[in-house]
Coordinates of all heavy atoms in Angstrom, one line a residue:
M1246 N -27.5 4.0 71.6 CA -27.3 2.7 71.3 C -26.4 1.9 72.2 O -26.2 0.7 72.1 CB -26.7 2.6 69.9 CG -25.3 3.2 69.8 SD -24.3 2.5 68.3 CE -23.8 0.9 69.0
F1247 N -25.9 2.6 73.2 CA -24.8 2.0 74.0 C -25.3 1.3 75.3 O -26.3 1.8 75.9 CB -23.8 3.0 74.4 CG -23.2 3.7 73.2 CD1 -23.5 5.0 72.8 CD2 -22.3 3.0 72.4 CE1 -23.0 5.6 71.7 CE2 -21.7 3.6 71.2 CZ -22.1 4.9 70.9
E1248 N -24.6 0.3 75.7 CA -24.8 -0.3 77.1 C -24.4 0.8 78.1 O -23.5 1.6 77.9 CB -24.0 -1.5 77.3 CG -24.3 -2.7 76.4 CD -25.5 -3.4 76.7 OE1 -26.2 -3.1 77.8 OE2 -25.9 -4.3 76.0
L1249 N -25.1 0.8 79.2 CA -24.9 1.9 80.2 C -23.6 1.6 81.0 O -23.2 2.4 81.8 CB -26.0 2.0 81.2 CG -27.3 2.7 80.6 CD1 -28.5 2.5 81.5 CD2 -27.0 4.1 80.2
T1250 N -22.9 0.5 80.6 CA -21.6 0.2 81.2 C -20.5 0.8 80.3 O -19.3 0.6 80.5 CB -21.3 -1.3 81.3 OG1 -21.7 -1.9 80.1 CG2 -22.2 -1.9 82.4
F1251 N -20.9 1.4 79.2 CA -20.0 2.0 78.2 C -20.1 3.5 78.3 O -21.2 4.1 78.2 CB -20.3 1.5 76.8 CG -19.3 1.8 75.7 CD1 -18.1 2.5 75.9 CD2 -19.6 1.5 74.4 CE1 -17.2 2.7 74.9 CE2 -18.8 1.8 73.4 CZ -17.6 2.4 73.6
D1252 N -19.0 4.3 78.5 CA -19.1 5.7 78.8 C -19.7 6.6 77.7 O -20.2 7.7 78.0 CB -17.8 6.3 79.3 CG -16.8 6.4 78.2 OD1 -16.7 5.5 77.3 OD2 -16.0 7.4 78.3
L1253 N -19.8 6.1 76.5 CA -20.4 6.9 75.4 C -21.9 7.0 75.7 O -22.6 7.9 75.1 CB -20.2 6.2 74.0 CG -18.7 6.3 73.5 CD1 -18.6 5.7 72.1 CD2 -18.2 7.7 73.5
S1254 N -22.5 6.1 76.5 CA -23.9 6.2 76.9 C -24.2 7.5 77.6 O -25.2 8.0 77.5 CB -24.3 5.0 77.7 OG -23.6 5.0 79.0
V1255 N -23.2 8.0 78.4 CA -23.4 9.2 79.2 C -23.7 10.4 78.3 O -24.6 11.1 78.5 CB -22.1 9.5 80.1 CG1 -22.4 10.7 80.9 CG2 -21.8 8.3 81.0
F1256 N -22.9 10.5 77.2 CA -23.2 11.5 76.2 C -24.6 11.3 75.6 O -25.3 12.3 75.4 CB -22.1 11.6 75.1 CG -22.5 12.4 74.0 CD1 -22.3 13.8 74.0 CD2 -23.1 11.9 72.8 CE1 -22.7 14.6 72.9 CE2 -23.4 12.6 71.7 CZ -23.3 14.0 71.8
S1257 N -24.9 10.1 75.3 CA -26.1 9.8 74.5 C -27.4 10.1 75.3 O -28.5 10.2 74.6 CB -26.1 8.4 74.0 OG -25.0 8.2 73.1
Y1258 N -27.3 10.1 76.6 CA -28.5 10.5 77.3 C -28.4 11.9 77.9 O -29.4 12.7 78.0 CB -28.9 9.5 78.5 CG -27.9 9.4 79.6 CD1 -27.8 10.4 80.6 CD2 -27.1 8.3 79.8 CE1 -26.9 10.3 81.6 CE2 -26.2 8.2 80.8 CZ -26.1 9.2 81.8 OH -25.3 9.1 82.8
L1259 N -27.2 12.3 78.2 CA -27.0 13.6 78.9 C -27.2 14.8 78.0 O -28.0 15.8 78.4 CB -25.6 13.7 79.6 CG -25.3 15.0 80.4 CD1 -26.4 15.3 81.4 CD2 -23.9 14.9 81.0
A1260 N -26.6 14.8 76.8 CA -26.8 16.0 75.9 C -28.2 16.2 75.5 O -28.7 17.3 75.6 CB -25.9 15.8 74.7
P1261 N -29.0 15.1 75.1 CA -30.4 15.3 74.8 C -31.2 15.9 76.0 O -32.1 16.7 75.9 CB -30.9 13.9 74.4 CG -29.6 13.3 73.9 CD -28.5 13.8 74.8
I1262 N -30.9 15.3 77.2 CA -31.7 15.8 78.4 C -31.5 17.3 78.6 O -32.4 18.0 78.9 CB -31.3 15.0 79.7 CG1 -31.9 13.6 79.6 CG2 -31.8 15.7 80.9 CD1 -31.4 12.6 80.7
L1263 N -30.2 17.7 78.4 CA -29.9 19.1 78.7 C -30.6 20.1 77.7 O -30.8 21.3 77.9 CB -28.4 19.4 78.6 CG -27.6 18.9 79.8 CD1 -26.1 18.8 79.5 CD2 -27.9 19.7 81.0
K1264 N -31.1 19.5 76.5 CA -31.8 20.3 75.5 C -33.3 19.9 75.4 O -34.0 20.5 74.5 CB -31.1 20.2 74.2 CG -29.7 20.7 74.2 CD -29.6 22.2 74.4 CE -28.2 22.8 74.3 NZ -28.1 24.2 74.5
G1265 N -33.7 19.0 76.2 CA -35.2 18.6 76.1 C -35.5 17.8 74.9 O -36.7 17.7 74.5
A1266 N -34.5 17.1 74.3 CA -34.7 16.3 73.2 C -35.2 14.9 73.6 O -35.2 14.6 74.8 CB -33.5 16.1 72.4
C1267 N -35.6 14.0 72.7 CA -36.1 12.7 73.0 C -35.1 11.7 72.7 O -34.4 11.7 71.6 CB -37.4 12.4 72.2 SG -38.2 10.8 72.6
I1268 N -34.9 10.7 73.6 CA -33.8 9.7 73.5 C -34.5 8.4 73.1 O -35.4 7.9 73.8 CB -33.1 9.6 74.8 CG1 -32.5 11.0 75.2 CG2 -32.1 8.5 74.8 CD1 -32.3 11.2 76.7
Y1269 N -33.9 7.7 72.1 CA -34.4 6.4 71.6 C -33.4 5.4 71.9 O -32.3 5.4 71.5 CB -34.7 6.5 70.1 CG -35.8 7.4 69.7 CD1 -35.7 8.8 69.8 CD2 -37.0 6.8 69.3 CE1 -36.8 9.6 69.4 CE2 -38.1 7.7 68.9 CZ -38.0 9.0 69.0 OH -39.0 9.9 68.7
T1270 N -33.8 4.4 72.8 CA -32.9 3.3 73.2 C -33.1 2.0 72.4 O -34.1 1.9 71.7 CB -33.0 3.1 74.7 OG1 -34.3 2.4 74.9 CG2 -33.0 4.4 75.5
I1271 N -32.2 1.1 72.6 CA -32.2 -0.2 71.9 C -32.6 -1.3 72.8 O -31.9 -1.5 73.8 CB -30.9 -0.5 71.2 CG1 -30.3 0.7 70.4 CG2 -31.0 -1.8 70.4 CD1 -31.1 1.0 69.2
P1272 N -33.7 -2.0 72.6 CA -34.0 -3.1 73.5 C -32.9 -4.2 73.4 O -32.4 -4.4 72.4 CB -35.3 -3.7 72.9 CG -35.9 -2.5 72.1 CD -34.8 -1.7 71.6
K1273 N -32.7 -4.8 74.5 CA -31.5 -5.7 74.6 C -31.7 -7.0 73.7 O -30.7 -7.6 73.3 CB -31.3 -6.1 76.0 CG -30.7 -5.0 76.9 CD -30.3 -5.4 78.3 CE -29.7 -4.2 79.0 NZ -29.2 -4.6 80.3
E1274 N -33.0 -7.4 73.5 CA -33.2 -8.6 72.7 C -33.2 -8.3 71.2 O -33.2 -9.2 70.4 CB -34.5 -9.2 73.1 CG -35.8 -8.4 72.7 CD -36.1 -7.4 73.7 OE1 -35.3 -7.1 74.7 OE2 -37.2 -6.8 73.6
E1275 N -33.1 -7.1 70.8 CA -33.2 -6.7 69.4 C -31.7 -6.8 68.8 O -30.7 -6.6 69.5 CB -33.7 -5.3 69.2 CG -35.2 -5.1 69.6 CD -36.1 -5.7 68.5 OE1 -35.6 -6.0 67.4 OE2 -37.3 -5.8 68.8
I1276 N -31.7 -7.1 67.5 CA -30.4 -7.0 66.7 C -30.1 -5.5 66.6 O -30.9 -4.7 66.0 CB -30.6 -7.7 65.4 CG1 -30.9 -9.1 65.5 CG2 -29.2 -7.5 64.6 CD1 -31.2 -9.8 64.2

Side-chain angles (χ1 to χ4, degrees):
M1246 65 158 283
F1247 303 105
E1248 298 285 355
L1249 289 171
T1250 51
F1251 190 5
D1252 70 325
L1253 292 182
S1254 67
V1255 179
F1256 168 80
S1257 297
Y1258 67 73
L1259 181 54
I1262 287 173
L1263 286 167
K1264 296 296 183 180
C1267 187
I1268 301 155
Y1269 292 73
T1270 71
I1271 310 293
K1273 291 189 177 182
E1274 68 276 6
E1275 294 285 348
I1276 299 173

